[in-house]
Amino acid sequence: MIDYTEKIPNNVDLGRDRVLQRALEHWQPAYLSWWYDMGPNESHNFEVYLRTAISVEPDGWAQFDYVKMPEYRWGIFLQPRDEKRQVNFGMHKGQPAWQDVPGEYRSILRRIVVTQGDTEPASVEQQKMLGLSCPSLYDLRNIFQVNVEEGRHLWAMVYLLHRYFGRDGREEAESLLARRSGDTDNPRILGAFNEPTPDWLAFYMFTFFTDRDGKFQLCALAESGFDPLARTCRFMLTEEAHHMFVGESGVSRIIQRTCEVMKENKVDTPADVRALGVIDLQTIQRYLNFHYSVTLDLYGSDVSSNAANYYTSGLKGRFRETKLEDDHILQDAAYPVSEVVGDKIVTKQVSALTALNERLRDDYIEEIQAGVNRWQRVIDEAGIPFRLTLPHKGFHREIGNFAGHFISTTGEILTEEQWKAHEFKWLPSPEDYKYVQSLMSGRVTELGKFANWIAPPVKGINGRPLDFQYVRFN
Ligand SMILES: [Fe+2]
Ligand SMILES: [Fe+2]
């Protein structure tokens, strides 16, 4: 169970380590002032029907109640330790899992923790203004839930920094509160976390695509031989699942509403669809293309000696590492990677160790495709002849083998000029953004009411009805 009588709720017996406790209590006000600055805009007095972790057991870890977000009990929750756990891959395979940071891996591990930690506050910053244009109280509550949990994910990483990385760790924890998404001088570390999230379609796409990158990174780190990191990530994954649900169901409800309006009014051109105040499927496809491609970049270079090192050292595993049936060393294994040669995309076999980024990206794509197929079913059931597709892996990429090439959504290699001529057929144009934002000019706050451009969800939160007061504004 989690001790909520402490200033910082935790299940790591924080009270026993006074130095650490004091360091974290020192960081806590800095965190809060970051939340006041960069958390959801003008929300500090709202009472939000939020869930809070009360135990790390899979059933019943959540308690629901009204909470003012700055009073949310952010804390430190790790999955319980398995005394028999081992390093399950790489050159240390079979050794007991490390309870402390191995000296030789200190700087790499710190880098891994900082890079993961940096994404958490970044997404809160990216979503800061969206509460002002929510389509319902239900959705407003959901974005706030995502935001407070991303805040807790920051706590999760900061705990590791303070507990295991000494003075350097404390400095990194401060820098995590100093960088800002999209800032020219001091941006967040990874590209996708500096992109704006200007509207609710972008928010749902972000939580579907980019929070799922979070899931895959956490899954890989949950395999780590450094046990405290693995246990931290395992608990974070239970929270991440809700973020992806918000994204998938959000996009699905937008598609559903568009299809309903198209059917009722027997219209199909984007202009006619827009005239009825919903988002045309073509625009949804362009948003999908954008969020998919910028998220694919987060996995890093297709061929990477860093990725090989992380694995061989036992620091970062593969997706579901312990469920895979091979030697977990990969010294002689190969994996296919694509690259552009002349005017063709060719696939070649490379060392599986250097291709681990690509492998994780492929695992991710498989899950994404399944989600897109579920969206497609909504369109099919409405009897509308439109196909949502994932663009080619090389489309609109800035990192890895496709960077610097101009590849169409269907995988043709084009000149820059040809590509530019099609850009806004494939990616949202300034007009698309303007249109979508025009639908979201204010908050919908009437109980049980939903904006015209989105269908209501199937059910409410925690068994509550759809017309429940999910947020009190005071
Ligand atoms: Fe997160
Ligand atoms: Fe998340």
Side-chain angles (χ1 to χ4, degrees), residues 120 150 153 240:
E120 315 290 358
E150 299 304 4
H153 289 177
E240 210 59 75

Side-chain angles (χ1 to χ4, degrees), residues 139-206:
D139 290 280
L140 185 61
R141 176 265 167 212
N142 277 351
I143 195 173
F144 289 160
Q145 182 72 57
V146 170
N147 292 157
V148 294
E149 287 176 355
E150 299 304 4
R152 206 206 66 75
H153 289 177
L154 173 59
W155 272 92
M157 292 296 126
V158 163
Y159 163 70
L160 294 176
L161 289 171
H162 275 217
R163 168 79 174 75
Y164 297 98
F165 296 92
R167 190 201 168 106
D168 304 352
R170 289 193 293 277
E171 281 169 8
E172 293 284 12
E174 272 166 40
S175 302
L176 285 170
L177 296 175
R179 284 185 286 273
R180 289 285 181 274
S181 176
D183 193 282
T184 28
D185 300 325
N186 196 13
R188 292 294 172 185
I189 295 169
L190 299 170
F193 292 91
N194 289 300
E195 299 283 350
T197 309
D199 58 65
W200 281 77
L201 178 56
F203 167 67
Y204 297 129
M205 289 286 180
F206 184 96

Side-chain angles (χ1 to χ4, degrees), residues 437-455:
Q437 284 163 40
S438 76
L439 299 176
M440 305 173 188
S441 53
R443 253 184 209 137
V444 177
T445 57
E446 233 172 277
L447 296 189
K449 192 165 185 285
F450 289 81
N452 179 56
W453 49 267
I454 190 165

Side-chain angles (χ1 to χ4, degrees), residues 40-114:
N41 201 46
E42 291 173 21
S43 65
H44 307 310
N45 276 320
F46 299 175
E47 288 173 38
V48 188
Y49 187 67
L50 292 177
R51 67 172 189 183
T52 303
I54 47 168
S55 110
V56 291
E57 301 309 318
D59 50 340
W61 69 275
Q63 171 188 299
F64 286 81
D65 206 351
Y66 286 100
V67 180
K68 288 187 182 174
M69 284 186 282
E71 291 161 18
Y72 189 76
R73 302 304 311 275
W74 285 288
I76 298 156
F77 316 124
L78 272 64
Q79 246 184 25
R81 183 173 158 193
D82 169 3
E83 304 282 338
K84 292 195 212 73
R85 187 164 182 268
Q86 298 184 337
V87 182
N88 293 313
F89 57 92
M91 62 197 260
H92 304 291
K93 185 170 172 272
Q95 294 176 9
W98 308 306
Q99 300 307 321
D100 230 315
V101 180
E104 70 266 44
Y105 302 140
R106 194 183 157 85
S107 67
I108 313 184
L109 262 174
R110 193 182 65 215
R111 188 79 201 147
I112 290 176
V113 171
V114 166

Side-chain angles (χ1 to χ4, degrees), residues 383-413:
I384 289 167
F386 184 92
R387 281 216 73 73
L388 274 182
T389 49
L390 284 182
H392 187 273
K393 208 197 245 183
F395 170 74
H396 190 233
R397 292 287 304 282
E398 287 186 7
I399 288 175
N401 289 347
F402 294 113
H405 295 282
F406 294 91
I407 298 172
S408 74
T409 50
T410 46
E412 291 104 341
I413 299 169

Side-chain angles (χ1 to χ4, degrees), residues 89-93 308-309 311-313 318 326-335 350-354 356:
F89 57 92
M91 62 197 260
H92 304 291
K93 185 170 172 272
N309 279 337
Y311 186 83
T312 303
S313 317
R318 288 171 292 175
D326 56 25
D327 67 1
H328 303 277
I329 292 175
L330 305 181
Q331 212 50 256
D332 307 312
Y335 193 83
V350 302
S351 148
L353 278 175
T354 60
L356 284 166

